[in-house]
Amino acid sequence: MQTVNLTQMDKEGIAEKVIAMGGEGLLNCVQCGACASVCPVARAGFSLYCKNLIKKLQSGYMEEILEDSSTWACQACNRCTEICPRDVKPSEVVFAFRRIQAEELAISTSAFTPLMSLYETGHAVYNKRSKELRKKVGLPETPPTSIGDPKAVAELQKILDDSPMAELGIFLNLMSRKQEK
Amino acid sequence: MADKIKFAFLLTGGCAGCEMSLVDLSESLVDVLDHLEVVFWAPTVADVKYKDLEAMPDQSIDLAFVDGMIRLSEHEHMAKVLRSKAKVLVAFGVCASLGGVAGMANLHPRKALFDTAYIDSPSTDNPEGIYPQPKCVVDGKYELTLPEFCDRVRPLTDVVTVDYMVGGCPPHHEFVAKLVTAIVEGNLPAKGSWLTGGKAVCDVCDRNPANEQVNRKTITEVKRVVDGNGVLEEKECLLQGGYLCLGAVTQGDCNASCPKVNIPCRGCGGPMPGVTDFGAQALSSIGAILENEEVAERMVAKYPDMAKMMYRYSLPASLLGRKIKGQ
Amino acid sequence: MSKIGVYVCHCGENIAGVVDVEDVRQYAEQLDGVTVTRRNLFMCSDPGQEMIRQDIASGLVDRVVVAACTPRTHEPIFRTTLEKAGLNKYLFEMANIRDQGSWVHAHDKYGATAKAKRIVASAVGKAANLHPLEDKFVDVTPAALVIGGGVAGIFSALELAKMGHKVYLVEKQPSIGGAMAMLDKTFPTNDCSACILTPVMVEAANHPNIELLTCSEVADVNGYIGNFNVRIRKNQTYVDWNKCTGCGACAEACPVRTANEFNGGMDHRGAAYIHFPQAVPKKAVVDMSVCINCAGRKLGTEPRISKKTGQPVLAACEKACPSGAIDRSHHLPAEGTLRDIEVGVIIVATGYQVMEKENFPEYAPDSPNVITALQMERLISATGPTGGKLLRPSDHRKPRTISFVSCVGSRDVRHHTYCSRVCCMYMIKQARLIKEKYPDIRIFMHVIDVRAPGKDFDEYYTRARDMGITFVKGKVGGMEILPADQVRVLGYDVDLGSNIEVDADMVVLASAMEQPPTAKLLARKIGLSFDGAGFFKELHPKLKPVETAVEGVFLAGCCQGPKDIPDTVSQAKGAAAAAAIPLCQGKVRIDPTISEVDTEKCSGCGICTPLCPYNAIVLKTYSGRPRAMIDITQCKGCGVCTAACPSAAILLHGYTDVQILSQIAALTRAA
Amino acid sequence: MEYTPNIVGFACQWCTYAGADLAGNLRCKYPPTIKLIRVPCSGRVKPEFILDALAKGADGVLVGGCHFGDCHYKDGNRKTANRMILLKKMIADMGFEPKRFRLEWISGAEGQKFADVVSEFTEELIKLGPNTIVEENAA
Amino acid sequence: MEQFGMYLGCNIPFNAPDIEQSFRQTFPNLGVEVVDLQGATCCPAWGTAPSFDINTWLAISSRNITLAESEQVDIMTGCNSCFGILAEAKHMLDHDPGRKAQVNRLLSKADRKYSGSSEVYHVAHVLHNKIGVEKINASAKYTLRQLKVAVQPGCHLLWPSAVMKVKEKNPFFPTMLKELCHALGAETPHYSRLESCCGMGAMRSTNQERALDTLKDKLKSMKEEIDPDMIVTTCSSCYLQFDNAQKLLRDKGEIDFAIPVFYYTQLLALCQGLDPAQVAAISETPRDEIIVRIQSKQRLLN
């Protein structure tokens, strides 16, 4: 491991940014480790999990960890938030960091498909075999959700079109396709 | 016997009830008149024109009583004239000394008062909605004037320097007798004081628990006379029984005449010497002996016009004096 | 016209760094009645005080206003200055421009200066209306009350008794000894707790100046320093203690089995029982809440006569008692008996409670093998439920692996934010004791960090590491229940940077020390206040650590905050020393800033009488009419009556209407 | 010039005044709008004082006492609470925005709360604008 | 009849419609009417909007809640993750008026307004707290007596407890699902990894290896400690993970056993005597055998 010169770490604005993105408890953390002790992500051996993410953010890391997509393994199970003795709400910090990563498009590749699907169908998860499955168990082919409801999808798209998510250009192709129609 | 005391009596905005209490001296009034020379008593008794008063030499009146509050511009004018003519000026009765019942009008803007009096009251027939005008021309040639209706009621003390104040609505005749005797005998306190026995209604009230060497209890009930809760025992304290009796806060020169007949004291006697704001003191004294906050909340609910309850006779002389404009 | 001197303090840079002190001084110069204005770097320093003394001595000044810090700390200092200069010390007023000025408005220097001027004007306004007041003195009742018979209470009582003062020591349990009596050994010396405490308990019980009132509680407190009237409730014991010899026969005979509090509920006692083997006084009590009335007769009735034997049918305890101390034919009131005592001072030493494991859902509270450290203390004690053998509660087998979990309820915003101060050390102690006795047991200590700052503490901790006890830096976040009543501790090792698990046979929770809820009731009776953590608040955290806001009432031990035994004993002795002062002086000063009735003005309405919290106001006949009078020894100067008096007949010296109205006028005057 | 509210505070010496001192010790920032008048107990505060301050043009008045159960004089604060319930109503009857008057229980341990209360009260008063009674009376 | 708005989410209608069918068929037998929330979208899943922008998340979630508001019903979700998202969103909106105003501005684009009048519940909450175990027990035709169930309550139903209307007595040792299984006569022995993660969702899509390891750990605890006849869950994500990833583990030779998996209402449906071809028809870990055992004559209650 290399020595880190903490005086050379640029902490400028990092905490503020994380707090603004929803990680309000960042600076309350005393690194007791309780969150990590029960964190599925930590227990499964991912590299960046609540406790060490918080420590790194507190120490001024940002560039160095921005591309680490293991934060996207967080299940949001919130057990950390339930037990944190300092009310840090570690899962909120993880999500705040994810939002910062998203701004830089440092997103787990696995996140894109659900996003596209969400925009197009209103469902992050969609299974093309579903009609067949539904018929098999005696249900109408289409459930009463947005999948068969263009008005509902249009409502959702109106919310998404002006969102910071759209500004990242994630939906660009889909949006132009919609306009062509 | 020295010279007779030159005496004047002026009614400003009031009901002349205070003058009645002087008349109530009945036979003793005859004795009093041996000592008094009434030089002015208007407009109630003598047909004296105001210009007659204006014509009198300054300081020519030994003793002047004013009853009534300052409601019209005329009241202010006359009060000032009388002040210059009189050596000793007494605000006689609670209207003159504190503003009186009419002072509650200060919680309403002038427009609202006029609307009620000249437009909205059921007995009024005023389809054109005409308000009293200070000036008007009749038949194209007679210019008539009316005194101006002031923005608010003021006690006499707000307009001129008053030498003595007397509470009561009206002052109790027995006290008036004592008072006149004291004046005649020249037995007066320092100027600027209340003329009073200096004790509260409770001191002369048969219902005061202290008479029986019993400590007062906190208030657990809130009642109003209008609710018809029945009559308390003869010796039972009205305040302790839940009625908002202001006897503890009020000068008792009335001999507790209201509580004697089951009516809670409403504070016409004015505050005890040394108290500036009658209502605030009443609120402080009574608020403190409420059993708990819940009783206080009930009191607020039961008396929705808290200011009018506490300042029934004294609003114009209170620290705020009137309802201030909304901000 | 008064001659007011205004002295503006720089407090080094504390004030002057923010407030323009010269501007404030100049402003004060033109206020009505002000004759002298001066500034100084530190007004409370000798030169600062000398400045005031000289101005008074030379007749320039007859009222003093010091604009500096808070009167709560410095008013007494400057009052002494006035006194030394020959001026009545109550002709003094402080303007608080530091604590409520420069310190809180450092971001707005202009605003802070403007505010300081108003505060000075307010103080000058009040000063102009001050009157000289005279201190009065009353005799002190030569006795002390100590509430709580734990180690703090015992030492407080002994110290006072040894100085020659009469002491009442009140304890609600049947025996004194408190929490320390439950401990096995004590850190950092591993002394046997009972061995060092029992002789002290006995000494307290036998001291001629100490009257031990166990099974007793404080029912009511009235009065004031020097003359407290205290009502003590002796709870019903159902045993005649004059006859009871503490032989324990009743406890053995009693058929009831109920959880034994003294052993953390890990074994049983009877309804008739003796608190613990070394109890002082060693007397039995009957706990009626669990008594099953085995002989089937009501209390206070004559026993049934057996048809078979012709003998009276007695309860097991009655029958067993060799001295006739238990007799159910007496009608004994369940509420006990009341007794009034008079004391000059009170020491509160009510101790603490530990948080129960049920407060911590994430730590498998349903597992019998998860216990609190206080329970562990009993489990390893020779007088404990297992006779000192370490056996885990679920199956009474010797554990192979034990995890100690620290900061359970302490340093945790969900429970208590404070550090309980003793957990690290007692965990280490217990771990060491276990390891010494059973070297084969694996012990893991899960800590956020080890706090061992006392004398010989760190050495004690280091030795624990040497003994092979494993320290894991990292707070435990959860536990899983394994088959066979094992508990899997889900931990994290900060140093390894990795998650860890321990399959433990037992888990010990170092749960927080906290103020028991009953403290609220006592606080209300005495007038004590609480700090942010819920403990009794001392008068000053540094300089008056045993005094309270109630004069004559002192604090000792954990009721004031978590502390270990040495600190508790130190504080107990400190409290005794402080409490001894009024007892030795024999007189206490009555603060003259109290209320007084102007009988001439009083109308006898009696509004004031139910208001006084101390019943200091009585109606007496004066010229034939009832008039209020205030007993100066009872009045504490709250001013509730003053504000309520409809006749403006009650004056609160030091806070008169005129003084307060002059302050309001100064604060609202156009700037 | 920007309007800075002038708040007259009445603080009981055991709790709120001590809380204000603690705010100083902790260096909690708040606007320099409030000036405290120290009284032994909030029960000493006559409603008249509050009306007097408002009549003299104070923009806001704060009365601070101990939490219930914490009163140094057992229950002086309860008398205050009763009085202030009546007074709040009366102030409103007299045309004042009731928000100009605040009753707060601030203990000696609540330095931050004192600062927060003053900050919040100041904000509130800025929204309400100045108390114009003095100008109104002069007019 | 008490009504609840059935919020289906994504996995249930598209990947496990037999669960949807089990809702539609079991609830009427318990006196509850299932109301469709027409036009519902994704909750949205943690990895989508919530990982990008809080207000966009809240706008989408609250839009879904408004569907229930306009039907004047409370929401009932079948997926723990949907429940977590919606409950947290509701908590944030109801406790932060400023946030609510911002989100309502976004929602106005879709001509909707969130008021907060509908509560968010999970199917398990409705079953346990609204319907109650007695009614469930009374509705069963077949008993699960002497069958051992490994319960999987799933995480989003437990934490953070502050946002939930219905709470477990101890969220670290949950009992609601156990009690629901007891209502059907089953045994639910404790296993140590009761509350450990199933590895589905974000973890699986980020790193399948680690997600499978996580699941394996949990499955082994079940198998070794209690050897259950089946796994029962009330989370559709957990359900898919246990069913599908268990197969993956078997295929890779990491485990050598197969424990059938049911969503709780599927089991309930079987006990109510409903047709397995509709309510429990799609799975990758075989469960036909246990279904036959459940609906056998011996288990028929009179």
Side-chain angles (χ1 to χ4, degrees), chain E residues 39-275:
Chain E
T41 66
C42 179
C43 51
W46 292 108
T48 63
S51 296
F52 287 77
D53 179 56
I54 295 176
N55 283 356
T56 310
W57 154 29
L58 297 181
I60 299 174
S61 288
S62 57
R63 182 191 163 278
N64 284 323
I65 301 175
T66 61
L67 301 175
E69 287 180 356
S70 51
E71 296 282 344
Q72 293 184 317
V73 293
D74 290 335
I75 283 189
M76 168 170 83
T77 75
C79 167
N80 281 19
S81 195
C82 299
F83 169 77
I85 287 274
L86 294 178
E88 278 200 45
K90 180 173 171 60
H91 186 82
M92 283 171 86
L93 291 167
D94 292 352
H95 289 80
D96 184 349
R99 182 74 84 178
K100 184 170 159 181
Q102 289 169 18
V103 169
N104 265 326
R105 270 200 292 283
L106 295 178
L107 266 186
S108 66
K109 291 181 193 162
D111 278 333
R112 291 189 178 273
K113 187 164 186 285
Y114 169 84
S115 75
S117 59
S118 288
E119 294 298 341
V120 175
Y121 297 110
H122 186 278
V123 161
H125 295 154
V126 173
L127 288 167
H128 189 274
N129 283 45
K130 305 278 168 180
I131 294 169
V133 289
E134 291 84 6
K135 269 196 195 173
I136 291 170
N137 180 265
S139 79
K141 295 198 174 84
Y142 295 93
T143 175
L144 301 182
R145 208 169 295 140
Q146 291 181 336
L147 287 177
K148 246 187 282 173
V149 166
V151 294
Q152 165 65 7
C155 47
H156 292 121
L157 217 47
L158 304 168
W159 313 300
S161 55
V163 309
M164 290 169 204
K165 266 265 138 51
V166 177
K167 297 185 204 309
E168 291 275 0
K169 268 189 228 83
N170 181 342
F172 302 95
F173 295 89
T175 53
M176 273 190 214
L177 183 53
K178 286 187 172 190
E179 288 163 28
L180 290 174
C181 290
H182 296 166
L184 300 177
E187 294 165 21
T188 58
H190 179 80
Y191 63 98
S192 63
R193 298 296 192 196
L194 172 68
E195 268 326 304
S196 75
C197 179
C198 71
M200 183 57 173
M203 190 190 285
R204 186 163 161 190
S205 53
T206 306
N207 186 324
Q208 179 157 315
E209 286 297 303
R210 293 189 197 275
L212 289 180
D213 279 352
T214 300
L215 177 70
K216 189 172 88 177
D217 194 34
K218 179 147 194 155
L219 279 170
K220 279 175 71 180
S221 153
M222 289 175 173
K223 184 74 188 169
E224 286 166 13
E225 293 171 23
I226 62 175
D227 193 17
D229 295 299
M230 62 190 117
I231 295 166
V232 176
T233 181
T234 44
C235 173
S236 56
S237 296
C238 298
Y239 171 84
L240 292 170
Q241 175 80 341
F242 277 101
D243 181 49
N244 161 278
Q246 195 185 154
K247 178 171 184 297
L248 297 181
L249 282 171
R250 263 195 310 279
D251 293 350
K252 288 170 71 174
E254 302 247 358
I255 56 171
D256 55 4
F257 53 82
I259 313 174
V261 185
F262 291 97
Y263 190 94
Y264 178 77
T265 49
Q266 294 184 313
L267 202 57
L268 174 62
L270 294 174
C271 288
Q272 288 181 352
L274 298 167
D275 180 5

Side-chain angles (χ1 to χ4, degrees), chain A residues 61-72:
Chain A
Y61 286 71
M62 182 53 85
E63 291 294 314
E64 300 82 346
I65 54 174
L66 209 53
E67 296 294 333
D68 187 336
S69 64
S70 63
T71 47
W72 291 75

Side-chain angles (χ1 to χ4, degrees), chain B residues 199-200 202-203 208 210-211 213 215-216 218 239 248-249 272-275 281 284-285 288-289, chain C residues 599-607 609-611 619 621 625-627 643-648:
Chain B
K199 295 294 175 206
C202 288
D203 190 47
N208 185 356
N211 295 336
Q213 299 291 321
N215 274 359
R216 191 174 275 284
T218 52
L239 183 61
V249 199
M272 301 302 296
V275 173
Q281 184 58 55
S284 186
S285 305
I289 57 163
Chain C
T599 319
E600 293 301 329
K601 293 182 83 179
C602 174
S603 292
C605 69
I607 293 265
T609 49
L611 297 180
L619 290 167
T621 307
R625 292 294 302 150
R627 298 290 178 244
C645 177
S647 295

Side-chain angles (χ1 to χ4, degrees), chain B residues 297-317:
Chain B
E297 297 284 4
R298 268 194 277 147
M299 184 168 274
V300 170
K302 195 88 181 165
Y303 294 95
D305 248 326
M306 190 55 67
K308 284 180 182 167
M309 272 317 295
M310 298 293 185
Y311 289 123
R312 189 189 291 259
Y313 297 96
S314 60
L315 190 89

Side-chain angles (χ1 to χ4, degrees), chain A residues 20-22 24 40-41 43-47 69-83 91-92 95 98-100 102-103 105 107-108 110-111 114-115 118 121-127 129-131 133-141 143-149 151-156 158-165 168 170, chain E residues 8-18 20-21 24-25 36-57 59-60 63 67 81 88 92 99 106-107 109-112 155-156 158-162 171-172 193 195-207 210-211 214 217 277-282:
Chain A
M21 285 298 209
E24 285 166 24
V41 172
R43 292 167 61 84
F46 286 86
S47 50
S69 64
S70 63
T71 47
W72 291 75
C74 170
Q75 303 275 48
C77 75
N78 281 312
R79 189 166 180 163
C80 51
T81 293
E82 186 85 8
I83 60 155
S91 56
E92 312 267 333
F95 269 73
R98 274 204 206 175
R99 290 170 196 133
I100 294 167
E103 275 187 349
L105 287 177
I107 309 169
S108 162
S110 61
L115 282 172
L118 176 67
T121 65
H123 288 284
V125 173
Y126 180 62
N127 176 356
R129 276 184 59 225
S130 68
K131 289 187 178 173
L133 290 173
R134 294 182 64 83
K135 226 157 77 183
K136 180 181 168 195
V137 300
L139 283 171
E141 284 187 355
T145 66
S146 60
I147 189 72
D149 190 341
K151 190 178 149 279
V153 176
E155 282 182 20
L156 178 78
K158 274 184 199 149
I159 293 169
L160 284 173
D161 281 350
D162 290 338
S163 71
M165 290 173 75
L168 297 174
I170 303 172
Chain E
L8 293 169
C10 304
N11 274 323
I12 291 177
F14 302 133
N15 288 324
D18 48 350
E20 179 181 335
Q21 189 60 283
R24 294 187 185 281
Q25 298 192 8
D36 282 334
L37 297 177
Q38 180 60 47
T41 66
C42 179
C43 51
W46 292 108
T48 63
S51 296
F52 287 77
D53 179 56
I54 295 176
N55 283 356
T56 310
W57 154 29
I60 299 174
R63 182 191 163 278
L67 301 175
S81 195
E88 278 200 45
M92 283 171 86
R99 182 74 84 178
L106 295 178
L107 266 186
K109 291 181 193 162
D111 278 333
R112 291 189 178 273
C155 47
H156 292 121
L158 304 168
W159 313 300
S161 55
F172 302 95
R193 298 296 192 196
E195 268 326 304
S196 75
C197 179
C198 71
M200 183 57 173
M203 190 190 285
R204 186 163 161 190
S205 53
T206 306
N207 186 324
R210 293 189 197 275
T214 300
D217 194 34
Q278 298 203 333
V279 299
I282 306 157

